[in-house]
């Protein structure tokens, strides 16, 4: 969680223009990305994965528009079973008749979907969902709420990312729960710091994202707040950063320091949603 990936813009550009490469070659490159992730323990950049998936779809669309042939499916199925022997113990059941191959294809696709979902959960890819699509299975980013104002605010900013663009080392989220929509962006400046706050609303529920950038790191105030008796507070250390989670009823708050910046998120969201928001600050 909270792993910084490669430059998403560069990765997207490389994967979104397959050129003469075939879908098979692109799939091989994507397999290598996941293999590297397994070897090193460093998670693949989700935006890069999404870019490869989109490029593969484009390449396959250029090659043919028909459904995959039975021969292609048999090769893919054989490769899948060889790489997941624990899912397919030896059996004495007779081979299915040719007339049931379509049913076999659907059952296989359903099993692959289950494996993808379980794998995604195990690897922390909460920002991805599995959909039925043109190629039967498709992995796409979970939908985000509205993060752009219909009209710029008084400072001329339409997004929180624009508001922190001139704040060195500052990051902004790229995902919020789909039910929220941005309502306002406020800027506060002082000689020692600058603060940008975005307000998101959803049927009376509020989500606040505050990003403060200090000229000197030592000026960042102590923020491990004392908690009330009815509050639950936990600390999560990851990548050299300590994240302070506070829960009070249905409201979650997380606060952390990174470089010269202080980040704070609070709102009526679940712990999983809060983790996704934090992940999005770092490309997840």
């Amino acid at each position: 969680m909270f792993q910084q990936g490669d430059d998403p813009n560069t990765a997207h550009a490389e994967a979104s223009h397959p050129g003469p490469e075939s879908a098979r070659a692109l799939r091989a490159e994507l397999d290598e990305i996941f293999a590297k992730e397994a070897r090193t323990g460093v998670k693949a950049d989700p935006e890069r994965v999404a870019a490869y998936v989109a490029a593969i779809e484009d390449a396959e669309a250029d090659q043919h528009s028909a459904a995959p042939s039975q021969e292609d499916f048999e090769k893919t199925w054989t490769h899948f079973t060889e790489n997941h022997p624990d899912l397919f113990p030896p059996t004495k059941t007779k081979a299915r008749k040719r007339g049931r191959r379509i049913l076999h294809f659907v059952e296989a696709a359903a099993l692959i979907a289950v494996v993808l979902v379980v794998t995604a959960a195990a690897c922390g890819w909460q920002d991805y969902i599995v959909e039925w699509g043109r190629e039967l299975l498709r992995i796409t980013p979970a939908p985000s709420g509205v993060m752009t104002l219909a009209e710029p605010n008084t400072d001329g900013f339409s997004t929180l990312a624009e508001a922190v663009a001139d704040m060195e080392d500052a990051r902004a989220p790229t995902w919020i729960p789909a039910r929220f929509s941005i309502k306002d962006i406020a800027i506060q400046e002082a000689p020692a710091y600058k603060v940008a706050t975005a307000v998101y609303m959803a049927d009376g529920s509020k989500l606040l994202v505050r990003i403060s950038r200090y000229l000197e790191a030592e000026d960042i105030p102590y923020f491990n707040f004392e908690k009330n008796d009815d509050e639950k507070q936990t600390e999560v250390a990851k990548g050299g950063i300590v994240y302070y989670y506070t829960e009070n009823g249905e409201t979650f708050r997380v606060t952390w320091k990174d470089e010269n910046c202080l980040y704070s998120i609070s709102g009526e969201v679940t712990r999983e949603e809060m983790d996704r928001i934090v992940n999005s600050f770092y490309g997840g």
Side-chain angles (χ1 to χ4, degrees):
M1 186 173 64
F2 318 140
Q3 174 62 46
Q4 300 185 38
D6 298 334
D7 182 350
N9 294 324
T10 302
H12 186 277
E14 293 174 351
S16 299
H17 299 84
E21 292 185 287
S22 65
R24 188 183 303 276
L26 289 169
R27 288 183 185 278
E29 292 180 17
L30 186 56
D31 287 342
E32 177 56 30
I33 290 175
F34 288 133
K36 181 179 179 181
E37 177 185 81
R39 290 194 306 269
T40 64
V42 178
K43 294 181 181 178
D45 177 31
E47 288 196 27
R48 190 179 188 192
V49 172
Y52 264 98
V53 171
I56 289 171
E57 289 185 342
D58 291 341
E60 290 179 338
D62 291 339
Q63 292 173 5
H64 57 81
S65 58
S69 68
Q70 181 63 33
E71 180 181 0
D72 289 338
F73 170 75
E74 292 295 343
K75 290 180 180 179
T76 302
W77 181 248
T78 299
H79 179 73
F80 180 77
T81 56
E82 288 176 349
N83 283 281
H84 299 83
D86 54 317
L87 296 177
F88 304 94
T91 178
K92 296 182 180 180
T93 304
K94 294 182 180 180
R96 302 189 179 201
K97 295 182 180 180
R98 185 179 184 86
R100 300 196 53 165
R101 284 183 175 176
I102 294 179
L103 179 59
H104 176 74
F105 182 87
V106 173
E107 292 174 345
L111 179 57
I112 294 174
V114 172
V115 172
L116 282 173
V117 171
V118 173
T119 301
C123 295
W125 299 341
Q126 296 95 338
D127 291 344
Y128 281 75
I129 58 176
V130 178
E131 297 179 340
W132 298 102
R134 186 184 64 198
E135 299 300 333
L136 188 62
L137 288 176
R138 183 179 182 186
I139 304 177
T140 59
S144 173
V146 178
M147 304 183 71
T148 304
L149 290 169
E151 296 290 340
N153 71 350
T154 55
D155 296 298
F157 301 124
S158 297
T159 67
L160 181 57
E162 292 177 0
V164 303
D166 65 341
M167 296 164 61
E168 185 179 354
D169 302 324
R171 300 171 179 273
T174 58
W175 184 91
I176 58 173
R179 63 185 179 279
F180 285 96
S181 296
I182 191 168
K183 293 302 179 183
D184 191 20
I185 300 173
I187 304 297
Q188 179 184 3
E189 292 192 65
Y193 62 84
K194 178 179 179 180
V195 181
T197 303
V199 181
Y200 307 89
M201 300 294 296
D203 296 328
S205 298
K206 182 181 294 185
L207 175 66
L208 295 176
V209 179
R210 180 175 290 107
I211 303 169
S212 307
R213 203 277 176 181
Y214 290 77
L215 292 179
E216 302 293 339
E218 51 267 27
D219 290 336
I220 298 178
Y222 182 73
F223 59 91
N224 186 10
F225 310 101
E226 292 184 3
K227 59 181 182 296
N228 299 324
D229 293 338
D230 57 348
E231 289 184 330
K232 300 178 182 178
Q233 187 177 50
T234 58
E235 298 179 13
V236 178
K238 193 72 175 181
I241 298 175
V242 178
Y243 300 84
Y244 295 87
Y245 283 82
T246 303
E247 180 181 0
N248 186 0
E250 297 181 353
T251 301
F252 258 110
R253 178 179 64 199
V254 61
T255 310
W256 75 98
K257 292 191 298 185
D258 188 0
E259 300 293 342
N260 284 34
C261 295
L262 175 62
Y263 299 89
S264 176
I265 308 170
S266 63
E268 295 180 20
V269 296
T270 66
R271 173 60 184 269
E272 181 184 14
E273 289 174 333
M274 185 65 82
D275 286 343
R276 290 186 179 186
I277 298 172
V278 175
N279 282 338
S280 75
F281 276 79
Y282 296 97

